[in-house]
Amino acid sequence: RFVLGDQADHGIMMFNTSFSYEVQGGFYYFKPNIYAKAKTPADKFDLLYAYTYHLKVYDVWLHDNEGGMEGMVKDLSNMWKRLLKTDDNKLGIDS
């Protein structure tokens, strides 16, 4: 829902330039309201992995935008960098 917005659960989806702004808005909701409230590093890893996966699958936003996405991408990469400094055991992943 944070990536697809109102199109989540629809069989047919339409993507255009405005989709990139929906993705950006969803990210800035996801970051403080969902991700930041996760209780454990493992929960944060699961949330961030799932979110990033959907950004990749529905990557139209990356190719069809009018700029201004750099801040979101930088924020996302910084979230990953901070999280991956955590011990693998606390993240719940195998090394």
Side-chain angles (χ1 to χ4, degrees):
R1 190 148 304 277
F2 299 109
V3 174
L4 296 176
D6 293 336
Q7 296 191 74
D9 302 322
H10 289 199
I12 298 174
M13 294 179 273
M14 299 293 295
F15 301 109
N16 56 29
T17 304
S18 66
F19 177 65
S20 64
Y21 302 115
E22 291 178 34
V23 169
Q24 189 176 41
F27 173 76
Y28 286 113
Y29 179 85
F30 168 79
K31 185 179 173 185
N33 295 297
I34 306 298
Y35 179 79
K37 293 180 181 178
K39 298 197 184 294
T40 67
D43 290 343
K44 286 182 183 265
F45 180 85
D46 291 347
L47 284 168
L48 197 55
Y49 181 85
Y51 185 81
T52 304
Y53 172 80
H54 281 90
L55 282 178
K56 182 182 179 331
V57 170
Y58 301 101
D59 68 348
V60 174
W61 66 273
L62 183 61
H63 305 287
D64 187 3
N65 66 72
E66 295 178 355
M69 305 301 286
E70 299 85 3
M72 183 192 99
V73 173
K74 185 172 182 157
D75 284 352
L76 180 64
S77 70
N78 286 335
M79 290 165 71
W80 272 112
K81 287 176 186 177
R82 280 190 302 275
L83 185 62
L84 291 175
K85 289 180 182 176
T86 306
D87 180 75
D88 288 352
N89 289 328
K90 290 181 182 178
L91 292 175
I93 60 175
D94 295 332
S95 50

